[in-house]
Amino acid sequence: MTKLHIKATKSSPEILLDPTTHQHTLKGESYPENSLEFYREFFDWIDAYIDTLEDTQEVIFNIELIYFNSSSSKVLMDLFDIFDDACEDGKNIAVNWVYNEDNDAILEYGEEFAEDYENLKFNFVVI
Amino acid sequence: MIDSYYKFQQHLEREGIMFSFVGPVSHNVVEGVGTVLRNKMELEEVSMNVSLKVFSIFIEQIQNVIRYSADRIPQDNFESDISFGMLIVGEKNKQYFLIGGNRVTSEQKERLNDFLDKLATMNKDELKQFYKERRKAQPDEHSKGAGLGFIEMARKSSEPIKYNFEKIDNESYYFTIETVV
């Protein structure tokens, strides 16, 4: 697999998916014009990646969003659903939920996601 | 006409309105105005929590106008449609208020009214559960997004959201919604 790098815009995050380091990042803002369309390439990559992933491989997914809208919240849920299922199948994936200490909303939304998943682990990282 | 605009601006200022927009809304407006709004609050040293609450309601409200307005010029997909509506952001008595308005069909009005009536009965905890529930459910084709935006606005608003439907004709209403932070 090759890396996927999409640059940030005002309303969409930087996406960095790296199949060699297995450290992936979603960083910035997310309120794109059409979230399904914007994230299509991202999900195609994730689906293919999970298929080739070894069970023992440690995977870290950094979510470093300052703001995301309700449509993007649905996108994040779909992503965590995929990871949670993969973890149930024996994969070793964890989410690093990175938040600014002054950004209560992001922390709160991270905690709300964390309480919904049994197999996927969330680490909270304050910056 | 030319001599009435200064009065118009003074009127807006007296009402605490810092931004008002009536016209065609597209994603460029969302990005542009959203950024200016956030920069302005940053300069005024508004806390990150408050400024992100205002920004969040602004985004959901304006994206709702794009999605729901009955006055629209269709493009390839509905989220790229140019939709007509109104958006006002202001500050009064140390509170920010955001008002959105657009025309809806009578059919939309029924659905929207029921949905907003339902939200009005919920406390913050119930809104959180309802948000999660709707996020899980596949959006139905009418709502184009499971109404998540309205729930988000209700969660961020420090007072119950106000809404009104004013009859235009037999087929349509003017829908107005107001949130406060």
Side-chain angles (χ1 to χ4, degrees):
Chain A
M1 287 196 76
T2 53
K3 282 186 194 181
L4 178 68
H5 185 199
I6 299 173
K7 288 197 175 113
T9 71
K10 270 200 178 87
S11 58
S12 62
E14 179 182 20
I15 297 176
L16 257 169
L17 305 177
D18 189 338
T20 50
T21 63
H22 298 280
Q23 296 253 352
H24 313 295
T25 303
L26 214 56
K27 187 176 182 171
E29 311 262 339
S30 186
Y31 57 100
E33 181 169 11
N34 182 329
S35 52
L36 279 181
E37 202 172 286
F38 174 76
Y39 283 103
R40 187 167 294 137
E41 190 183 3
F42 169 83
F43 277 107
D44 287 346
W45 194 98
I46 293 288
D47 285 340
Y49 173 69
I50 300 275
D51 281 346
T52 60
L53 197 58
E54 302 282 339
D55 283 0
T56 51
Q57 179 59 55
E58 193 186 1
V59 176
I60 298 287
F61 206 101
N62 298 298
I63 304 282
E64 298 186 41
L65 296 173
I66 299 160
Y67 166 75
F68 56 87
N69 69 348
S70 57
S71 314
S72 304
S73 159
K74 169 97 177 145
V75 167
L76 289 175
M77 187 195 74
D78 291 341
L79 177 69
F80 300 148
D81 283 352
I82 292 170
F83 288 166
D84 195 61
D85 288 346
C87 289
E88 200 177 2
D89 291 342
K91 306 283 189 250
N92 183 3
I93 306 171
V95 170
N96 279 351
W97 189 272
V98 185
Y99 66 99
N100 184 301
E101 62 174 340
D102 294 326
N103 193 342
D104 293 346
I106 284 290
L107 173 61
E108 194 181 319
Y109 282 143
E111 287 171 344
E112 283 178 20
F113 276 123
E115 69 191 27
D116 280 353
Y117 293 99
E118 278 179 31
N119 308 294
L120 179 64
K121 192 170 171 264
F122 282 75
N123 305 308
F124 288 89
V125 184
V126 64
I127 47 166
Chain B
M1 197 63 181
I2 191 77
D3 58 356
S4 62
Y5 293 105
Y6 180 50
K7 278 202 178 68
F8 175 59
Q9 182 168 340
Q10 281 179 314
H11 171 72
L12 296 183
E13 281 167 3
R14 267 197 308 275
E15 294 298 316
I17 291 166
M18 50 194 208
F19 168 82
S20 77
F21 182 96
V22 183
V25 192
S26 67
H27 188 67
N28 294 332
V29 177
V30 177
E31 281 188 345
V33 176
T35 306
V36 172
L37 198 61
R38 233 155 104 183
N39 290 347
K40 184 177 184 294
M41 287 187 287
E42 204 173 294
L43 284 172
E44 289 167 351
E45 294 180 349
V46 176
S47 78
M48 190 173 192
N49 280 327
V50 171
S51 100
L52 281 175
K53 265 187 193 169
V54 172
F55 183 71
S56 166
I57 293 172
F58 169 80
I59 293 293
E60 299 299 342
Q61 201 147 281
I62 198 164
Q63 289 188 330
N64 272 346
V65 170
I66 294 180
R67 286 182 187 126
Y68 296 95
S69 174
D71 296 315
R72 54 201 310 120
I73 304 170
Q75 304 291 317
D76 290 344
N77 66 68
F78 77 85
E79 278 167 309
S80 304
D81 285 359
I82 295 167
S83 308
F84 293 81
M86 177 184 75
L87 204 83
I88 290 168
V89 184
E91 192 188 359
K92 211 171 194 180
N93 306 324
K94 296 189 175 161
Q95 277 189 316
Y96 289 95
F97 58 91
L98 296 98
I99 300 162
N102 56 268
R103 196 169 66 85
V104 295
T105 62
S106 302
E107 190 204 350
Q108 277 178 304
K109 182 242 175 194
E110 293 305 320
R111 256 197 329 269
L112 207 49
N113 206 0
D114 289 349
F115 190 77
L116 292 170
D117 282 350
K118 188 172 170 182
L119 291 189
T121 65
M122 295 184 183
N123 62 31
K124 293 284 179 208
D125 223 42
E126 290 165 332
L127 286 168
K128 172 188 155 180
Q129 291 311 324
F130 191 48
Y131 184 81
K132 284 187 172 191
E133 201 181 292
R134 296 295 296 202
R135 189 167 61 186
K136 272 209 180 73
Q138 284 298 319
D140 65 73
E141 59 175 318
H142 300 295
S143 84
K144 299 172 178 173
L148 272 188
F150 288 114
I151 311 174
E152 176 77 34
M153 282 158 63
R155 293 187 69 184
K156 291 276 155 62
S157 180
S158 46
E159 287 170 19
I161 48 183
K162 289 183 197 147
Y163 47 96
N164 183 55
F165 294 91
E166 207 168 312
K167 193 166 181 165
I168 299 171
D169 52 41
N170 284 336
E171 280 94 47
S172 60
Y173 286 80
Y174 194 79
F175 166 57
T176 317
I177 184 162
E178 180 176 357
T179 35
V180 168
V181 173

